[in-house]
Amino acid sequence: SAFAKKYPKYAKSVVVSVNQELGDFARGSVSFASDEGGGNFLAAKISGEWQIVFDGNGQIPCSLSKYGFPADMLFDCAK
């Protein structure tokens, strides 16, 4: 539902795969059935609601550690 909120135009075609989930943190991939691209995502549960804090194909910023992500979810972040 977080992706449907962020990308309402693609709400009916978004496909989310969660590869890692630990407590209030998740990492995975997202794609759109309409071939509008996709990429990786990191999400954190903030105030009881899942929020996407990063999505795309670019380098994952190490600054996401401020959310408290487990180190193994940010193993490939760009410093």
Side-chain angles (χ1 to χ4, degrees):
S1 66
F3 277 100
K5 288 178 187 176
K6 186 169 182 176
Y7 300 108
K9 178 179 176 181
Y10 305 108
K12 293 182 180 180
S13 67
V14 66
V15 178
V16 177
S17 297
V18 177
N19 301 330
Q20 291 178 283
E21 184 176 354
L22 182 61
D24 292 340
F25 306 98
R27 179 179 175 152
S29 61
V30 61
S31 61
F32 302 95
S34 59
D35 283 343
E36 293 293 327
N40 298 311
F41 78 87
L42 286 139
K45 193 178 280 188
I46 301 169
S47 300
E49 186 173 324
W50 283 104
Q51 295 184 23
I52 302 159
V53 296
F54 172 84
D55 70 298
N57 290 314
Q59 293 182 326
I60 296 170
C62 291
S63 61
L64 293 177
S65 63
K66 68 183 176 190
Y67 292 101
F69 278 94
D72 64 331
M73 284 192 189
L74 297 178
F75 70 93
D76 55 347
C77 70
K79 296 181 181 184

